Amino acid sequence: KYSSVYVRVKNMSQTDAVKKRIEDMKLNVICFSDQLKEIKKGFMIIQSVLGVVGIISLFVAGLGIINTMLMSILERTREIGIMKAIGAAEGQIKSIFFFEAATIGFFGALGGIGLGWLITRIANFFANQQIISSGNSPVNLFFFPAWLIIGAILFSIIIALVAGLYPASRAARIDPVEALRHH
């Protein structure tokens, strides 16, 4: 009598067929591929939750950019009036505010990437302390490929530009006479 038997398949595609044949013999089967599927489900749930948190964060960041831009318009109403009085077109005023929004997005992305990198370095350090204490070689658990960094910066700029649409349009529509009276 054996308490357990380990069966290995040559090809992972055969796993389900071999598992079924063993179950047909009225034996209990614990399959690593089933455990892997459960782990993947767990990661999918975690990714979904993080995705929702990310969407909420993007929304809040967009509102922050809109608020910052609207405050900038209120503080510079007189300047906008002067620009319009000397002949600045609405498109030129919009482009000024779009540039400011893109700048906010760019520096926000740099700050986010820098903070993310710092947090992953700290997490990697503590994880490697555990790995080294168990007698294994340290590993680099986190990786920031160039495409991810560039993509994050571009995505942040795009979000900032979308958030800057309303404030830029509002700045361009300011009446120059009223703006020059503004204190």
Side-chain angles (χ1 to χ4, degrees):
K1 282 199 153 204
Y2 296 101
S3 62
S4 65
V5 175
Y6 293 94
V7 177
R8 290 188 185 199
V9 293
K10 289 183 182 179
N11 189 342
M12 285 295 289
S13 63
Q14 299 172 332
T15 304
D16 290 334
V18 171
K19 178 183 170 189
K20 179 150 179 31
R21 287 187 66 199
I22 294 172
E23 286 174 339
D24 289 344
M25 291 187 247
K26 307 275 191 239
L27 296 171
N28 291 331
V29 178
I30 298 173
C31 186
F32 289 121
S33 65
D34 291 341
Q35 292 174 342
L36 187 60
K37 287 177 189 174
E38 290 299 316
I39 291 170
K40 284 182 181 179
K41 281 182 189 176
F43 278 117
M44 287 296 286
I45 291 169
I46 291 170
Q47 285 177 333
S48 298
V49 170
L50 290 176
V52 169
V53 169
I55 289 170
I56 292 169
S57 298
L58 282 175
F59 181 73
V60 171
L63 289 177
I65 291 170
I66 291 170
N67 184 44
T68 301
M69 299 295 291
L70 289 174
M71 290 289 100
S72 176
I73 291 168
L74 287 175
E75 291 173 358
R76 296 173 23 201
T77 300
R78 190 170 176 91
E79 293 173 33
I80 295 167
I82 292 170
M83 285 189 279
K84 288 189 96 172
I86 62 173
E90 285 187 6
Q92 292 171 318
I93 292 172
K94 282 183 183 179
S95 66
I96 289 169
F97 284 93
F98 278 139
F99 181 77
E100 287 180 16
T103 303
I104 290 170
F106 176 75
F107 285 110
L110 289 183
I113 291 168
L115 184 62
W117 181 84
L118 179 65
I119 290 170
T120 58
R121 293 294 99 204
I122 292 169
N124 198 59
F125 173 78
F126 286 114
N128 274 321
Q129 293 302 315
Q130 293 295 322
I131 291 170
I132 290 170
S133 69
S134 65
N136 295 312
S137 301
V139 294
N140 188 8
L141 299 172
F142 302 99
F143 178 63
F144 286 88
W147 65 266
L148 180 64
I149 294 170
I150 293 168
I153 291 170
L154 290 176
F155 185 71
S156 179
I157 290 171
I158 289 169
I159 294 295
L161 288 173
V162 169
L165 280 173
Y166 172 70
S169 296
R170 185 170 170 182
R173 288 191 316 258
I174 289 177
D175 180 35
V177 176
E178 288 297 320
L180 291 172
R181 287 186 193 155
H182 189 270
H183 296 303

